[in-house]
Amino acid sequence: MKIKALIVLLFHLFTILPLHSQMRINFSGDSPLRKLQIAEMAITNLYVDTVDEGKLVEDAIRGMLEKLDPHSSYADPEEVKAMNEPLQGNFEGIGVQFNMVDDTLLVIQPVSKGPSEKVGIMAGDRIVLVNDTAVAGVKMKKEEIMRRLRGPKGTKVDLGIVRRGVAEVLKFTVKRDKIPVHSIDAVYMLRPGVGYIRIGNFGATTHGEFLQAIEKLRDEGMKDLVLDLQDNGGGYLQAAVDVAGELLRKGDLIVYTEGRQFPRMEYKARGSGSFRDGRVFVLVNEFTASAAEIVSGAVQDQDRGVVIGRRTFGKGLVQRPVGLPDGSMLRLTIAHYYTPAGRCIQKPYTKGDLEDYALDFDNRLKHGELTNRDSIHFADSLKCYTLREHRPVYGGGGIMPDVFVPLDTMQYTKFHRQLALKGVIINADLRYIDNHRDSLRQAFPTFEAFRRDFTVPRELIDAVVEEGRKMDVKPKDDDELARTLPMLSTQLKALVARDLFDMSEYFQVINEESDIVKKAVEEIGK
């Protein structure tokens, strides 16, 4: 790395890290930093073949981080952008939900009041031209099409649209705008008096969305809340703190962090408390991680509610983003998360052994942890106690639920899993919606009518099975096919509901077959 670039990097580092964490940088001739600099300059200037200096430095950074914990990482500028968009709450583009069907971009729904809806683009439209460049039938990657559609707010893009029943290609000019990205997937009344909120991740807009959801459900008669954090991989710490704070009393500890260069920092409820009185049931599973574990741990340790499901992922390492001059970023672990009772959320790991860490789900399944609570053992040295009722809880990684729900390994057959992995189910749903959208909307003008009266037609089931056969995905025998059909039908009905209505309606259908949601309903009734 050139000296000038190194100076810029160090300056940038010091503008991000607080003063107490700044460390002395040793530039002396025998320092590790000087050694690394000389090695890079020697390779760049003396090596027998031409080398890509940028990639050389990136590989060196990735190599250093791989020897640390599993969550310290490096992202190039494009990866940084893709990583930030779901958390920032918006991006700039044309405002459509879409998917690829037969190498063509199919509009599932235009974003309500977004730029595409304003000019008349409709669900079911196919985008075939972007600024006179063909994007259909040319094997263009989805990422490349997205790059062409997105752009700075206020810029315009010309689209060619093929619409069912219209012979010619329709032309639209769309003025790009800020497009909201929501982090709450579903809000509805699960049962009379019981509200349901599913948070997909913790982003910049999550707290505001949560407050709106609470207000909506309270207007509909909510007395108790089911907060679904299944499959929530985390996000912003402050967003999790703000959401947890709405459930707790002023001054209640939510989480604290502590690291070698970072003294203990506590995060407490501020006292707004929009839902402090009703009962709370938090749903978690083995993919609930990080910020979602902060909320789960705070509710459990403060004896505020009941945590239901399976032991969470166990991601309790705090990352500090360190921006680099070219727009790339280091996410460097600087501290641990601890629940109010003092439990470290992070599960054990071996530095540099990313493979074993990545296989954690498989290891849990082999050891029986996902199917049998008795297979989970905690050392007495990890025992802590909740703050109000002094119930025993354990550290050592993740949040162990109060009510355990075993994973039903028979719910999804091998045939079903292969169909899903190959994209067969999604593609069959999209084709069905594309062919029947108008008749479905006429038959089911409301979701209530759809949920009550819609039955997945045999033609859709047959289309899935036939498409699977073409891709060499077949049931082992008639018995496996018979065991696949009930859950496959539920999933297809949920997907049709999503495409006709929205994600909230998808979860209203799929949750009726969720063992964890069913257990929550059972616990509420006790």
Side-chain angles (χ1 to χ4, degrees):
M1 184 182 292
K2 302 295 187 289
I3 294 293
K4 182 178 179 181
L6 182 62
I7 293 172
V8 171
L9 167 59
L10 293 174
F11 175 80
H12 197 73
L13 278 171
F14 287 160
T15 63
I16 291 176
L17 298 178
L19 288 175
H20 68 74
S21 69
Q22 291 178 12
M23 59 192 73
R24 294 179 181 275
I25 305 297
N26 184 358
F27 286 100
S28 64
D30 59 351
S31 73
L33 183 61
R34 179 62 176 162
K35 181 177 179 180
L36 180 64
Q37 181 190 24
I38 292 172
E40 191 278 335
M41 292 179 68
I43 294 170
T44 301
N45 293 287
L46 304 177
Y47 186 65
V48 62
D49 297 319
T50 302
V51 296
D52 183 335
E53 186 176 6
K55 187 175 185 305
L56 200 66
V57 172
E58 283 193 2
D59 289 345
I61 294 172
R62 293 182 193 275
M64 287 189 287
L65 294 175
E66 285 174 1
K67 300 300 181 183
L68 304 179
D69 64 276
H71 297 291
S72 289
S73 61
Y74 170 82
D76 63 34
E78 288 301 314
E79 290 170 334
V80 170
K81 185 178 179 181
M83 181 173 58
N84 285 340
E85 278 180 355
L87 300 178
Q88 290 174 341
N90 62 70
F91 63 91
E92 295 177 346
I94 66 170
V96 294
Q97 298 177 33
F98 71 90
N99 215 321
M100 300 299 294
V101 180
D102 300 328
D103 199 27
T104 301
L105 189 152
L106 175 67
V107 176
I108 306 301
Q109 287 182 358
V111 173
S112 178
K113 299 180 182 178
S116 289
E117 184 183 72
K118 288 178 181 177
V119 300
I121 293 175
M122 302 166 57
D125 285 349
R126 286 171 164 78
I127 299 178
V128 296
L129 296 172
V130 179
N131 290 331
D132 295 325
T133 298
V135 296
V138 294
K139 302 295 182 183
M140 185 178 291
K141 291 184 179 180
K142 183 177 179 179
E143 293 76 15
E144 176 61 20
I145 297 175
M146 290 175 63
R147 187 188 67 79
R148 292 171 183 269
L149 292 175
R150 292 185 178 183
K153 175 182 177 180
T155 59
K156 295 180 180 180
V157 58
D158 295 323
L159 302 180
I161 299 287
V162 171
R163 179 171 295 167
R164 184 179 293 271
V166 179
E168 71 273 14
V169 175
L170 302 174
K171 299 297 180 68
F172 294 91
T173 298
V174 182
K175 187 177 181 180
R176 297 182 179 99
D177 204 345
K178 289 278 187 183
I179 309 301
V181 177
H182 299 295
S183 58
I184 291 186
D185 296 327
V187 179
Y188 69 97
M189 293 298 292
L190 181 63
R191 295 289 186 272
V194 181
Y196 172 94
I197 299 175
R198 182 182 177 99
I199 302 178
N201 62 62
F202 286 92
T205 63
T206 304
H207 182 226
E209 292 178 48
F210 185 75
L211 291 176
Q212 292 176 4
I214 291 290
E215 183 177 359
K216 175 182 182 294
L217 294 173
R218 185 175 278 123
D219 289 345
E220 295 176 12
M222 176 180 67
K223 292 183 172 54
D224 300 321
L225 171 65
V226 172
L227 179 59
D228 193 345
L229 301 181
Q230 295 179 83
D231 305 318
N232 183 318
Y236 292 149
L237 165 64
Q238 191 58 53
V241 168
D242 290 341
V243 167
E246 298 298 333
L247 309 174
L248 300 171
R249 301 173 305 186
K250 184 176 182 179
D252 281 348
L253 181 62
I254 296 170
V255 68
Y256 66 91
T257 62
E258 198 166 19
R260 180 174 65 91
Q261 291 287 334
F262 293 82
R264 173 168 169 153
M265 178 175 290
E266 297 184 346
Y267 297 83
K268 298 181 178 181
R270 297 174 179 175
S272 53
S274 62
F275 194 78
R276 285 184 292 182
D277 299 325
R279 293 183 297 170
V280 176
F281 301 83
V282 181
L283 311 186
V284 300
N285 65 7
E286 54 279 1
F287 301 114
T288 302
S290 191
E293 292 176 290
I294 289 173
V295 176
S296 308
V299 168
Q300 189 176 60
D301 283 10
Q302 294 287 358
D303 292 299
R304 175 62 183 90
V306 180
V307 179
I308 301 172
R310 291 182 289 278
R311 184 166 70 93
T312 61
F313 182 84
K315 195 270 185 185
L317 298 175
V318 185
Q319 279 73 52
R320 166 65 59 85
V322 180
L324 302 178
D326 64 349
S328 59
M329 178 188 292
L330 296 180
R331 295 184 74 249
L332 190 65
T333 296
I334 61 168
H336 286 89
Y337 289 127
Y338 295 87
T339 70
R343 292 182 288 166
C344 179
I345 296 173
Q346 179 61 40
K347 62 188 175 186
Y349 62 90
T350 301
K351 288 184 178 180
D353 190 352
L354 301 182
E355 183 177 354
D356 183 67
Y357 194 81
L359 293 174
D360 182 67
F361 175 82
D362 294 332
N363 292 333
R364 291 193 193 190
L365 190 59
K366 287 178 184 177
H367 297 153
E369 176 184 325
L370 300 179
T371 55
N372 190 341
R373 183 182 186 123
D374 293 338
S375 298
I376 306 170
H377 304 286
F378 296 101
D380 285 341
S381 60
L382 300 175
K383 183 185 290 187
C384 297
Y385 294 91
T386 61
L387 302 186
R388 299 181 193 179
E389 298 179 7
H390 305 290
R391 297 179 295 117
V393 288
Y394 290 86
I399 303 298
M400 184 67 192
D402 303 301
V403 178
F404 179 78
V405 181
L407 176 68
D408 184 358
T409 57
M410 302 299 292
Q411 187 177 42
Y412 292 95
T413 65
K414 182 179 180 181
F415 176 51
H416 192 163
R417 292 195 300 271
Q418 288 178 328
L419 289 172
L421 288 171
K422 296 272 180 111
V424 174
I425 300 172
I426 289 286
N427 287 333
D429 160 68
L430 291 172
R431 292 190 184 96
Y432 175 76
I433 283 288
D434 192 37
N435 291 328
H436 300 87
R437 189 185 305 274
D438 291 341
S439 61
L440 286 168
R441 282 183 169 165
Q442 289 177 4
F444 309 107
T446 65
F447 174 66
E448 289 71 22
F450 174 88
R451 181 163 59 175
R452 182 184 64 243
D453 300 329
F454 178 79
T455 301
V456 174
R458 187 69 205 189
E459 67 171 285
L460 181 50
I461 296 289
D462 290 344
V464 171
V465 174
E466 176 61 20
E467 186 63 26
R469 186 189 63 78
K470 292 178 181 177
M471 302 179 72
D472 200 29
V473 177
K474 304 172 185 177
K476 182 175 64 175
D477 49 34
D478 290 342
D479 178 63
E480 184 178 29
L481 178 59
R483 288 187 290 111
T484 299
L485 292 182
M487 196 60 206
L488 176 61
S489 296
T490 298
Q491 185 179 10
L492 286 168
K493 181 172 181 176
L495 289 169
V496 173
R498 178 202 66 180
D499 295 341
L500 285 180
F501 303 98
D502 211 336
M503 280 300 293
S504 192
E505 285 73 19
Y506 169 89
F507 282 106
Q508 290 187 56
V509 174
I510 209 75
N511 281 344
E512 292 303 313
E513 299 301 323
S514 165
D515 289 340
I516 292 179
V517 174
K518 287 179 181 179
K519 177 58 73 172
V521 172
E522 181 184 320
E523 290 294 316
I524 290 167
K526 288 183 177 179

